[in-house]
């Protein structure tokens, strides 16, 4: 089955709403100049909550094909949850994607794979597509138990989802030791874990579900290394942090096929 690769730029806590509009505008021009075919490779920006409205206005006014989404979402519908943002608020702003369980949320906000699975379910119920993150810390990699560890995270994240829901979701494998460190996993490292995730999904659900699910690699992806990573059979895109903050660089990543 042909899976459409997804290049998603995770801006993290960078760029205010004015800077967001400038970057999306520049990204769109650059991709148009490069005659990018969005049906071949999808491009999305995953922006701070405060930027979403500006990005929506721009994308709709200029009929851009760039998609956008949020970096987190609440498991609650509404009410006394100070600081949280609901799935309904995100769909009202036209979001397509929402990242759940990024390692920074896990580390600084104590998010567990169980909670991440609940957030993914909530997102899917609202018509949003979750990008569920997983990945091991350096000690686990050094101990050689990374595959087993990541598959444990995946099993827990997917435990409340149906096959149909998993098929339209995205899993991002992001080894923590490769995030923001400049230390990129080798294409073989990425394939080892992404391939194991797909096999696990086939076991938990069925082959068709595993074949439909998109699995991204994330961690120090840039234009210089994206091609080799994307050449791996089970890597269907990248979740890009630092390199997504520059329009030219991110456009090169999106157009890696040439
Ligand atoms: P990086 O971040 O590309 O800056 O390593 C990736 C991520 O955390 O999604």
């Amino acid at each position: 089955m042909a899976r459409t690769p997804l290049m998603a730029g995770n801006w993290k806590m960078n760029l205010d709403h004015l800077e967001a509009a400038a970057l999306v505008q520049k990204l769109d021009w650059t991709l148009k100049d490069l005659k990018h075919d969005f049906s071949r490779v999808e491009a999305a920006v995953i922006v701070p909550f405060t930027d979403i409205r500006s990005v929506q206005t721009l994308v709709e006014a200029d009929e851009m094909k760039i998609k956008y989404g949020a970096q987190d979402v609440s498991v609650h519908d509404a009410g006394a949850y100070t600081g949280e943002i609901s799935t309904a608020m995100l769909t009202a702003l036209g979001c397509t994607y929402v990242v759940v369980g990024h390692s920074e949320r896990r580390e600084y906000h104590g998010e567990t794979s169980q909670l991440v699975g609940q957030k993914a379910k909530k997102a899917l119920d609202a018509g949003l597509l979750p990008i569920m993150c997983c990945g091991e810390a350096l000690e686990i990699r050094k101990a050689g138990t990374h595959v087993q560890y990541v598959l444990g995270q995946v099993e827990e994240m997917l435990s409340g989802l149906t096959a149909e829901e998993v098929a339209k979701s995205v899993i991002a494998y992001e080894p923590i030791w490769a995030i923001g460190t400049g230390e990129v996993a080798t294409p073989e490292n990425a394939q080892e874990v992404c391939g194991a995730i797909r096999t696990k999904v086939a076991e938990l659900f069925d082959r068709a579900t595993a074949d439909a699910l998109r699995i991204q690699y994330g961690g120090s992806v840039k234009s210089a290394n994206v091609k080799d990573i994307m050449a791996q059979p089970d890597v269907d895109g990248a979740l890009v942090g630092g390199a997504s903050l520059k329009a030219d660089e991110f456009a090169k990543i999106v157009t890696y096929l040439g």
Side-chain angles (χ1 to χ4, degrees), residues 8 10 12 102-104 133 174 178-182 218-222 239-244:
N10 171 18
K12 308 192 181 185
H102 189 279
S103 63
E104 289 148 18
C133 301
E174 299 202 301
I179 296 179
T181 57
S220 300
V221 172
K222 20 184 190 304
L239 187 55
V240 184
S244 71

Side-chain angles (χ1 to χ4, degrees), residues 17 30 46 48 52 68 70 87 91 95 98 101 111 121 140 147 149 159-160 168 170 197 199 203 206 208 212 236 243:
H17 68 291
T30 312
I46 307 297
I52 299 175
Y68 56 91
T87 51
T91 52
C95 288
V98 61
E111 295 196 6
K121 177 80 181 165
I140 297 170
V147 173
Y149 177 84
S159 66
K168 52 187 171 192
V170 180
I197 293 172
T199 305
E203 273 166 38
D206 52 64
D236 308 313

Side-chain angles (χ1 to χ4, degrees), residues 92-107:
L93 291 171
C95 288
T96 300
Y97 293 103
V98 61
V99 166
V100 288
H102 189 279
S103 63
E104 289 148 18
R105 300 287 319 167
R106 291 172 184 264
E107 183 179 353

